[in-house]
Amino acid sequence: MTAAVSLDLSASAAQLTAQLVDTESVSGNEAALADAVEAALRGYERLSVQRDGNVVIARTELGRPMRVVLAGHLDTVPIAGNLPSRVAGDRLYGCGTSDMKAGLALQLRAAALVGEGRVDPAADLTWFFYDCEEVEASRNGLNRVAASSPELLSADLAILLEPTNGRVEGGCQGTIRAVITVTGRRAHSARSWLGDNAIHGAAPVLELLAGYSAAEVEVEGLTYREGLNAVYIGGGVAGNVIPDSCTITVNYRFAPDKSEADAEAHLRAVFAGFVLEVVDSAPAARPGLDQPLAQSFVAALGQPAEAKLGWTDVARFSALGIPALNFGPGDPNLAHTVDEWVSLRAIESAEVALLAFLSSGA
Amino acid sequence: MTAAVSLDLSASAAQLTAQLVDTESVSGNEAALADAVEAALRGYERLSVQRDGNVVIARTELGRPMRVVLAGHLDTVPIAGNLPSRVAGDRLYGCGTSDMKAGLALQLRAAALVGEGRVDPAADLTWFFYDCEEVEASRNGLNRVAASSPELLSADLAILLEPTNGRVEGGCQGTIRAVITVTGRRAHSARSWLGDNAIHGAAPVLELLAGYSAAEVEVEGLTYREGLNAVYIGGGVAGNVIPDSCTITVNYRFAPDKSEADAEAHLRAVFAGFVLEVVDSAPAARPGLDQPLAQSFVAALGQPAEAKLGWTDVARFSALGIPALNFGPGDPNLAHTVDEWVSLRAIESAEVALLAFLSSGA
């Protein structure tokens, strides 16, 4: 049995980030961190706290005319020798620093300050801390609560504290995966002319991918850069057999001007003549920047919003009709890397901006 | 404990083939069949019999001026629901019928007839029955004996009873396998332009393979058809990661005008600019049809010799300077197939030809 972790929410957001990073919470192993978050939040009478599996939800009920959600996932990708955290200059290194324990720290700091009455929010607030974002969608805690109790997600704006380098990133790309199967005929490789080599038959598929020009699509003033890539290839039977099958898994990241059906149609057009099966997809989310609350948040930050180039759980709010933005101090390009780090100054700046918005802007 | 198998060498070669097929002997599991062969051969005083692991060797010492080896492997590829054997018309179906228990039956029939004094061979004879031909070369029984006791292989001609449709197939192709590795740079697939897709980078390798024209090479009057094929391809990290590595294993089957070094040089020329590592190779064997004994055997069959399109253990004799031919009643194109069969008439014809050669031709 491990000793319970105790979080000190009076620490700075940067120090709190280090506490969170040092509480290991690889997907499936979030219980200790969820316990610590729950215990810390239950200390505030102004917050009503619920626990559902490894999802922790806190709410204010201040009778404000609007409600803003602050959401973030507790889990990280697997540790890669990058724990415990360490500070070097302005950088805090460690697994989950950028994605997204710095964001969680901001959520918790806001909860503490609102809980203590030191920040008086213009909108009511809901906090979501959830598990299993880094693994298959069927395990995602936010997804589960959205299905079982969608009313808990209800809000006028959702802010997901995923890493965005402290900018507002609107909406998100959709993602679709498909498997292209090229078939052939087995034969002994010493008499290869009796067979039909499926790996050779995959040459035109790879040529299409290598020559593909990804679109840049403007939606509500933001530019979404798409991408179409092979993520897996496999084929072969034995070292002396002409292979009769070769499969290529492709991943198409598409802009929010397209539905999942549009994305599938595009794949079928690109790979016309090949056998293609969709194995996985998730919709894009529009940026929602036509909403006044979202505009107010962008204005509070003082820098223009950008497109989110990645799929995030904003799409789960978007699917419920709730405008949703990504905003977090981490750097998305460092997510999932062994040398992941976050800038301590960036955490501080993002905290200032978020609290300013919550106090007045919202 | 399984009851010992007893082989009846007085049966016809076709019946004996069925007995051998029904004694399962997948590579690594040849002991029961080796025991049965050893026991059957020890019944003849004219033969001196040796056992070394699962290799059984029998010899005559009749003082003849020349010596001929009759060699064959005891093992088969894994059973695929194709045992026990069954007869349908002229066909005997079952695992190993063509490759090469029909050939073993001819070896055993010759041993029985010579052992009983009913055939008086013009040359002294050596029989090899060996294990693990269908698996990696390091386990091959003939390979092992060739390394430890090469004098046992010594002969003026070796006949390997591998399936050839009853023709003489001279020499064999060489084989070389190489792994081509294409590297790239990982990135999240939502921001694919930050990476370099190694699977896309493999497109020109597959194009080279798909467009490759294999040579047909004449050696000592026989035509060897070459082949260059991908036998494996693999790449991919995760469904949302731009892959940083893609490997393609190619197998080049080359004519006996080339050494292994020539074959490697050819691969390096074809795939110039790519990282290529040779992982496996075996030399080709020249047909040896300039030898009088080999010419005499071809003459006894009354039909022209052909090139062996496949690698066989004739190369092990060839490496010791012993001319070696392939000759067996099976059909090489049926080898390793689920529906493997052998023609009963073909077994009988091949037996007649072999015995005629041994009695007078040799």
Side-chain angles (χ1 to χ4, degrees), chain B:
Chain B
M1 167 154 183
T2 323
V5 177
S6 177
L7 296 172
D8 175 10
L9 303 197
S10 71
S12 73
Q15 289 165 335
L16 185 52
T17 301
Q19 291 178 49
L20 294 166
V21 171
D22 292 333
T23 307
E24 181 263 293
S25 59
V26 173
S27 307
N29 198 30
E30 299 94 337
L33 183 54
D35 289 349
V37 167
E38 181 187 1
L41 297 179
R42 286 203 189 275
Y44 303 105
E45 286 184 4
R46 285 186 181 82
L47 307 182
S48 71
V49 179
Q50 287 176 262
R51 173 76 177 258
D52 177 348
N54 282 330
V55 178
V56 181
I57 306 168
R59 301 169 64 90
T60 61
E61 299 291 353
L62 303 168
R64 301 287 191 269
M66 287 185 291
R67 177 172 290 277
V68 171
V69 164
L70 299 177
H73 61 85
L74 295 165
D75 60 323
T76 69
V77 293
I79 308 304
N82 50 3
L83 279 192
S85 63
R86 63 185 171 84
V87 174
D90 178 52
R91 295 180 176 184
L92 176 70
Y93 283 90
C95 184
T97 42
S98 261
D99 183 15
M100 57 163 281
K101 290 187 169 176
L104 293 179
L106 265 52
Q107 291 178 257
L108 288 167
R109 285 291 297 155
L113 293 169
V114 169
E116 291 164 6
R118 292 166 60 196
V119 164
D120 185 32
D124 267 305
L125 294 169
T126 304
W127 287 264
F128 275 92
F129 301 88
Y130 61 97
D131 57 335
C132 289
E133 190 270 345
E134 299 288 7
V135 290
E136 58 270 32
S138 60
R139 294 172 63 191
N140 183 301
L142 183 64
N143 198 20
R144 181 166 54 80
V145 172
S148 63
S149 312
E151 71 283 1
L152 291 177
L153 280 69
S154 174
D156 300 283
L157 175 68
I159 299 173
L160 192 65
L161 282 291
E162 288 273 11
T164 63
N165 282 320
R167 292 169 166 255
V168 166
E169 292 186 348
C172 73
Q173 296 164 312
T175 177
I176 183 169
R177 280 182 200 85
V179 175
I180 298 164
T181 302
V182 180
T183 54
R185 194 171 59 251
R186 288 192 196 188
H188 197 293
S189 65
R191 296 174 290 281
S192 52
W193 51 92
L194 299 175
D196 177 15
N197 195 313
I199 296 176
H200 299 191
V205 175
L206 298 198
E207 287 172 56
L208 283 167
L209 286 162
Y212 182 84
S213 259
E216 302 201 358
V217 182
E218 192 170 312
V219 179
E220 295 175 17
L222 303 186
T223 301
Y224 290 84
R225 187 165 173 182
E226 298 194 334
L228 174 59
N229 277 275
V231 289
Y232 287 113
I233 190 166
V237 176
N240 60 355
V241 175
I242 301 304
D244 58 353
S245 177
C246 181
T247 58
I248 305 105
T249 305
V250 298
N251 182 208
Y252 174 39
R253 300 288 177 142
F254 55 94
D257 65 327
K258 297 180 188 68
S259 67
E260 289 167 276
D262 293 337
E264 176 173 347
H266 180 66
L267 286 181
R268 293 198 182 281
V270 170
F271 299 107
F274 290 94
V275 175
L276 180 149
E277 186 193 4
V278 171
V279 290
D280 182 22
S281 79
R286 298 188 73 90
L289 292 175
D290 48 348
Q291 307 290 325
L293 256 182
Q295 288 168 356
S296 149
F297 186 39
V298 173
L301 278 181
Q303 53 184 342
E306 297 187 352
K308 181 67 190 176
L309 302 174
W311 193 89
T312 75
D313 279 328
V314 294
R316 306 197 193 282
F317 291 98
S318 189
L320 296 171
I322 303 164
L325 302 172
N326 302 276
F327 167 76
D331 178 346
N333 293 331
L334 295 172
H336 305 194
T337 66
V338 171
D339 294 326
E340 185 177 357
W341 55 271
V342 66
S343 155
L344 301 174
R345 279 194 296 272
I347 297 174
E348 193 181 339
S349 302
E351 183 184 22
V352 168
L354 181 65
L355 293 175
F357 166 69
L358 295 179
S359 319
S360 59

Side-chain angles (χ1 to χ4, degrees), chain A residues 38 110 259 336:
Chain A
E38 181 188 1
S259 67
H336 304 191

